[in-house]
Amino acid sequence: MPELPEVEVVRRGLHEHVAGRTVDAVEVLHPRAIRRHLAGAADFALRLTGQRLDAARRRGKYLWVDLSGGDAMLAHLGMSGQMLVQPVGAPDEKHLRVRLRFTDGGPELRFVDQRTFGGLALADLVEVDGTRLPRQVAHIARDPMDPAFDPVAAVAALRGRRTEVKRALLDQTLVSGVGNIYADEALWRARLHGLRPADKLTRAKAAELLAHATQVMYEALGEGGTSFDALYVNVNGQSGYFDRSLAVYGREDEPCRRCGTAIRREPFMNRSSYSCPRCQPRPRG
Ligand SMILES: [Zn+2]
């Protein structure tokens, strides 16, 4: 599952390669990739053809491209979705689902998705707090990389939840974009176990945790590079360029980088949580 830094890399790639270009033809090779566009593949193709793709935007892990007609093309990357820019005539990828050709005859945009959990859809834009967002994204909070992110409000929202801190951190309506990997990394940096009650954190500790989450995502983005090739590998989940820098995630039984204690893995919402038993003691009771 791509996390926020990976989605940001995709957004930058789209912005660089397709913004300002007009769609000449749309080819849907697998209807499942368009299932979120309820009017169907033919409607999707008809409405998109002739439109100019404008700015590529993101809210949390949601990604879309503004269209000249006033709506937007929303992209769900799902587990394995990739947006690729390929020269016209390049061999089709095995899991190519949607192809957009442009009037300039330049490289085409391809949506490739091995597991077909992702997809594309056209979306109306609605105004939320002075920002135009696809209707499906309207409930998603700003992420820490958003220039208009309000850290004071985010700390208050986090401490206002009577739940475990990791669950609160993953709640996309409080703060968006923090996924399982970066939540574990931020909790380790803040020396907090994810089961600690969010409403019992001091304001300073909650602020520290959010600052760590922000920092770890910026570091991941910094290592991600901005080339579309790097993104191909990364969004596919095969390379994981940030793996080398992770302190706890995926490091069960390996030594804590701070104290040397073996990292533990615990089940968490059908996934896993990784933490250091010594730096991040479980809450009592
Ligand atoms: Zn430790």
Side-chain angles (χ1 to χ4, degrees):
M1 181 85 73
E3 295 229 14
L4 185 145
E6 289 85 337
V7 178
E8 172 61 12
V9 171
V10 178
R11 188 198 67 77
R12 290 179 183 182
L14 284 175
H15 201 76
E16 187 180 331
H17 293 279
V18 304
R21 303 177 66 197
T22 299
V23 178
D24 185 45
V26 178
E27 191 181 349
V28 177
L29 293 101
H30 195 306
R32 206 173 135 70
I34 306 296
R35 70 190 178 286
R36 288 186 183 86
H37 187 80
L38 300 179
D43 180 80
F44 175 82
L46 187 69
R47 282 174 55 190
L48 193 52
T49 301
Q51 294 223 58
R52 190 183 64 240
L53 306 185
D54 288 332
R57 302 188 188 277
R58 181 182 60 71
R59 163 85 40 126
K61 293 191 262 182
Y62 291 79
L63 182 69
W64 69 92
V65 180
D66 286 345
L67 300 173
S68 54
D71 48 353
M73 181 179 76
L74 194 58
H76 299 260
L77 297 177
M79 302 290 284
S80 57
Q82 304 162 356
M83 303 290 278
L84 301 180
V85 175
Q86 294 280 37
V88 173
D92 286 1
E93 291 73 14
K94 186 175 177 199
H95 302 289
L96 178 62
R97 306 304 185 198
V98 182
R99 181 202 326 271
L100 268 59
R101 288 208 172 94
F102 295 96
T103 54
D104 58 18
E108 54 190 44
L109 180 64
R110 298 178 179 186
F111 180 72
V112 175
D113 191 4
Q114 182 179 353
R115 300 178 66 182
T116 22
F117 291 122
L120 303 176
L122 296 184
D124 295 331
L125 295 173
V126 295
E127 180 132 347
V128 181
D129 294 338
T131 307
R132 283 165 60 75
L133 301 174
R135 193 177 298 281
Q136 297 90 325
V137 179
H139 63 291
I140 302 295
R142 290 185 190 276
D143 65 69
M145 290 173 157
D146 189 319
F149 179 72
D150 179 348
V152 174
V155 164
L158 201 66
R159 296 176 71 230
R161 274 307 152 98
R162 302 187 77 164
T163 184
E164 299 144 8
V165 63
K166 184 170 173 182
R167 281 177 189 269
L169 204 52
L170 292 176
D171 183 339
Q172 305 294 301
T173 65
L174 296 182
V175 178
S176 71
V178 184
N180 199 41
I181 296 175
Y182 299 121
D184 278 2
E185 293 300 305
L187 288 163
W188 179 81
R189 290 184 185 199
R191 300 177 190 240
L192 286 173
H193 192 283
L195 292 177
R196 293 271 293 268
D199 57 342
K200 297 288 196 305
L201 294 183
T202 64
R203 192 173 287 116
K205 200 66 181 174
E208 183 193 333
L209 178 63
L210 274 181
H212 284 309
T214 308
Q215 181 64 26
V216 76
M217 290 194 288
Y218 271 114
E219 289 171 16
L221 189 59
E223 293 191 17
T226 49
S227 88
F228 239 56
D229 289 335
L231 130 82
Y232 180 98
V233 178
N234 183 51
V235 169
N236 203 17
Q238 290 174 341
S239 159
Y241 54 78
F242 196 55
D243 286 358
R244 286 160 287 136
S245 316
L246 295 176
V248 284
Y249 189 85
R251 295 191 64 238
E252 185 180 15
D253 293 333
E254 291 178 50
C256 169
R257 299 197 201 280
R258 197 157 46 208
C259 75
T261 306
I263 297 299
R264 79 184 143 199
R265 179 170 67 88
E266 297 168 294
F268 176 78
M269 295 171 75
N270 298 322
R271 287 179 284 176
S272 295
S273 284
Y274 297 86
S275 60
C276 170
R278 188 164 169 196
C279 299
Q280 302 165 267
R282 285 178 73 103
R284 285 184 297 273

